[in-house]
């Protein structure tokens, strides 16, 4: 329930700052959520990223002003802190599908975004299967990538990192160091105050100097068995978790989240088997 309140707070904050520059870090500081969790929860619950909602509302209000008044384009561009009229007209046309000069003659074609208010609803959609499992207590070697706050609204950060490692051969080399169980590729997401660290590695007893190492503490996870395209399977599961599961199972935010991939995963395979691990609050289980 708390996350719903925080997303509503984020919506109100955006509405109160539509004439200012968008900054995910400032927004996350205000609602006291990590940038990663705010961006993800907002997207899964609202259906669009915080930045997309911010831009849609700004351009909706700008369209309303153009329709109802004779305000000059240059004045509206300045009001919304655009560098010039052309930059404003470009964004306006890209979003609405018509130019600012066509607003009064083609107002029925405007893509108006009303302010969003959240409410709870029921669903009959079945939950993706998951099991409770203790995972961890082993060391890993691999590679990490830091994603700053302004890059967190890209839903393909993990697939892009995996593809980079796979295309240049580093992933194949990494698999050779998997000298202990479990024999899988682990993706660990670690939310930070200023962004997100993604670590991709394998369980290993060896610690070669050219690789980074991490130790995964043992803890209880809800492990979801997923199947689908790598770019979308995890996002679909998170949608259910953020909108439904949070009300029935005590999972922990601002800690490590796991994705487990088989060695032979493929970006072309629409039936890739993936495990998603969500850490649980042991005290409330």
């Amino acid at each position: 329930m708390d996350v719903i309140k925080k997303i509503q707070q984020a919506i109100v904050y955006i509405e109160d700052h539509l004439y200012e520059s968008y900054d995910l870090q400032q927004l996350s500081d205000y609602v006291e959520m990590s940038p990663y969790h705010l961006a993800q929860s907002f997207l899964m619950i609202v259906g669009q990223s915080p930045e997309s909602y911010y831009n849609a509302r700004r351009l909706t209000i700008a369209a309303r002003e153009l329709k109802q008044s004779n305000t000059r384009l240059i004045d509206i561009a300045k009001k919304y802190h655009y560098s010039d009229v052309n930059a404003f007209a470009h964004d306006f046309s890209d979003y609405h599908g018509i130019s600012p000069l066509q607003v009064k003659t083609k107002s029925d074609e405007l893509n108006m975004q009303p302010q969003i208010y959240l409410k709870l609803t029921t669903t009959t959609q079945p939950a993706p299967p998951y099991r409770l499992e203790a995972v961890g207590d082993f060391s890993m070697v691999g590679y990490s990538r830091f994603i700053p706050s302004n890059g967190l609204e890209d839903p393909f950060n993990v697939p892009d990192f995996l593809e980079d490692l796979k295309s240049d051969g580093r992933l194949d080399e990494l698999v050779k160091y998997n000298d202990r169980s479990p024999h899988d590729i682990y993706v660990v997401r670690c939310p930070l105050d200023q962004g997100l660290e993604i670590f991709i590695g394998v369980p290993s007893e060896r610690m070669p100097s050219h690789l980074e190492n991490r130790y995964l503490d043992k803890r209880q996870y809800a492990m979801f068995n997923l199947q689908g395209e790598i770019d979308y399977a995890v996002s679909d599961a998170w949608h259910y978790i953020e909108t439904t599961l949070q009300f029935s199972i005590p999972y922990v935010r601002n800690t490590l989240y796991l994705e487990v991939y088989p060695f032979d995963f493929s970006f072309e395979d629409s039936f890739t088997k993936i495990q998603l691990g969500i850490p649980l609050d042991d005290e409330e289980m």
Side-chain angles (χ1 to χ4, degrees):
M1 187 73 73
D2 184 59
V3 70
I4 298 295
K5 292 180 180 178
K6 289 187 176 295
I7 297 305
Q8 186 61 64
Q9 289 175 354
I11 291 172
V12 172
Y13 182 91
I14 290 173
E15 293 291 335
D16 289 342
H17 296 80
L18 290 175
Y19 300 113
E20 302 172 17
S21 299
Y22 173 79
D23 190 315
L24 178 62
Q25 187 65 54
Q26 290 182 2
L27 183 59
S28 67
D29 290 342
Y30 176 77
V31 299
E32 297 181 334
M33 292 179 72
S34 71
Y36 169 72
H37 279 111
L38 174 59
Q40 175 171 274
S41 297
F42 198 104
L43 174 62
M44 299 305 168
I45 292 172
V46 175
Q48 54 187 310
S49 70
E51 185 173 16
S52 294
Y53 178 75
Y54 160 84
N55 286 329
R57 288 292 293 145
R58 277 164 54 91
L59 292 169
T60 292
I61 295 174
R64 188 176 298 134
E65 290 186 48
L66 287 171
K67 180 181 177 181
Q68 298 175 350
S69 71
N70 293 315
T71 307
R72 297 184 307 166
L73 284 183
I74 183 64
D75 294 329
I76 290 183
K78 288 181 178 179
K79 184 175 183 178
Y80 289 94
H81 297 284
Y82 278 91
S83 57
D84 54 49
V85 171
N86 289 334
F88 168 73
H90 175 273
D91 283 2
F92 189 97
S93 300
D94 187 56
Y95 176 73
H96 287 289
I98 62 175
S99 75
L101 298 177
Q102 296 174 305
V103 166
K104 293 186 177 182
T105 58
K106 296 185 176 182
S107 61
D108 57 329
E109 297 182 27
L110 291 169
N111 182 21
M112 305 296 273
Q113 169 67 65
Q115 181 175 350
I116 289 175
Y117 301 90
L118 301 183
K119 67 177 182 178
L120 299 180
T121 61
T122 58
T123 180
T124 58
Q125 181 180 355
Y130 69 89
R131 66 189 184 280
L132 302 183
E133 182 179 336
V135 180
D137 193 23
F138 51 79
S139 57
M140 296 186 294
V141 295
Y143 300 92
S144 69
R145 176 176 290 181
F146 175 71
I147 310 296
S149 297
N150 60 11
L152 289 177
E153 297 186 48
D154 180 355
F156 303 115
N157 282 319
V158 168
D160 286 348
F161 193 8
L162 280 168
E163 187 169 25
D164 289 344
L165 294 179
K166 193 176 183 71
S167 63
D168 63 16
R170 285 183 292 168
L171 198 59
D172 289 337
E173 181 208 14
L174 189 59
V175 168
K176 296 178 182 178
Y177 287 97
N178 183 211
D179 56 7
R180 58 146 298 164
S181 179
H183 299 289
D184 294 295
I185 298 169
Y186 278 74
V187 176
V188 182
R189 302 194 196 206
C190 179
L192 303 171
D193 290 340
Q194 302 291 323
L196 174 75
E197 182 193 74
I198 302 172
F199 177 81
I200 297 179
V202 296
S204 177
E205 298 291 348
R206 292 178 288 172
M207 300 290 169
S209 59
H210 68 290
L211 296 177
E212 300 177 54
N213 60 81
R214 299 288 189 276
Y215 185 82
L216 186 64
D217 289 320
K218 191 172 187 177
R219 70 176 303 163
Q220 192 84 343
Y221 285 84
M223 298 297 296
F224 292 80
N225 295 316
L226 312 177
Q227 186 169 310
E229 295 183 18
I230 288 178
D231 290 352
Y232 303 104
V234 174
S235 293
D236 289 345
W238 267 114
H239 181 268
Y240 168 76
I241 292 165
E242 293 283 8
T243 57
T244 304
L245 185 65
Q246 62 162 307
F247 301 108
S248 60
I249 191 169
Y251 70 92
V252 183
R253 295 178 180 274
N254 295 323
T255 188
L256 305 182
Y257 299 85
L258 308 179
E259 294 168 33
V260 186
Y261 295 81
F263 290 153
D264 60 350
F265 78 86
S266 170
F267 287 96
E268 287 72 42
D269 186 359
S270 58
F271 298 99
T272 299
K273 292 183 178 180
I274 308 167
Q275 297 180 72
L276 172 63
I278 308 299
L280 303 178
D281 187 340
D282 294 334
E283 295 182 359
E284 297 190 26
M285 289 298 293

